[in-house]
Amino acid sequence: DAKTTQPNSMESNEEEPVHLPCNHSTISGTDYIHWYRQLPSQGPEYVIHGLTSNVNNRMASLAIAEDRKSSTLILHRATLRDAAVYYCILRDLNQGGKLIFGQGTELSVKP
Amino acid sequence: GAGVSQSPRYKVAKRGQDVALRCDPISGHVSLFWYQQALGQGPEFLTYFQNEAQLDKSGLPSDRFFAERPEGSVSTLKIQRTQQEDSAVYLCASSSTGRRAEAFFGQGTRLTVV
C-alpha cells in the first residue's frame, strides 16, 4: 500500500490561510490523492481529492506537484471549526478503493 | 437518515464476551469498509465488501474477527471472545463505485472491553 508522510501537528491563526503538506513519493499512476479530516469524536469526513490537476471546492483547494510526489491541502481562511486531524491518503480504485490512513496532521486554530 | 449509521454507539463488553456491531450504509452504496481506530491513532483498515462479496479481509487482526454483508446492504462486524486490546472505535464507511467516489463514514462504535 502506498504511504504518505505528514507533519504530526500544525498551528494556525483564525482567518489566516493554512497549507498542510503531504509527501507521497511512492505514488502510482492509478492512485488518487484524497484528503479527509476527523473532528473529535466524529468519523472521518471527506475534504477533497485529485489525480493530477489542482482542485478547488467549497471546503478547500488541493495543489498537486507536477511529479505527483507531494501535495498540499489549502484552507483559505481557517476557522475554529477547522481544528481537526487531517489525513492525506492515496486511494487506488483498482484495488477496491480502500483508504489507508496514516497518522495525519493535527491542526489547531488559535483565535 | 441519509448518512452511514452505526449501532450501538457505545458498547462495554466483559473480556471473553462476543459482540456484534452493525453498520447501515448509505442506500445504494456498493462498497463498504470497516476500520478500527485506537485512541490517538489513525483508522486501520479491517475489511472491504463490494455488494455481498468480501473482497479484502487482509486487515482483520485475528480469526476472532468476522464480518458479513449477506444482502449487500447492512453489514455486521462480529468479535468473538473479546480481549482488552480489542478496545477501540470501530468505523464503517460506504461509497458508490466510480473513480470519483468519496467514502462516507459513520460516527463509529466505541467498544470498551473490561
Side-chain angles (χ1 to χ4, degrees), chain A residues 14-111:
Chain A
E14 197 175 12
E15 299 198 359
E16 290 187 355
V18 182
H19 290 228
L20 298 166
C22 180
N23 288 318
H24 30 79
S25 59
T26 59
I27 191 170
S28 72
T30 53
D31 285 331
Y32 281 75
I33 301 160
H34 282 242
W35 284 81
Y36 282 72
R37 71 180 186 181
Q38 187 172 25
L39 280 65
S41 301
Q42 300 289 320
E45 172 190 32
Y46 169 83
V47 177
I48 199 166
H49 78 279
L51 183 62
T52 56
S53 304
N54 295 344
V55 184
N56 299 297
N57 67 19
R58 63 175 180 82
M59 289 182 71
S61 295
L62 177 60
I64 301 173
E66 198 169 329
D67 64 3
R68 301 215 317 133
K69 294 186 175 182
S70 65
S71 61
T72 303
L73 179 69
I74 303 164
L75 306 179
H76 296 287
R77 288 183 64 199
T79 70
L80 297 179
R81 289 176 298 175
D82 290 324
V85 178
Y86 286 78
Y87 295 99
C88 169
I89 299 161
L90 300 182
R91 190 178 190 198
D92 185 351
L93 290 172
N94 291 333
Q95 296 189 11
K98 67 186 181 186
L99 300 164
I100 303 299
F101 290 80
Q103 292 297 322
T105 296
E106 183 169 12
L107 175 67
S108 56
V109 180
K110 296 184 292 184

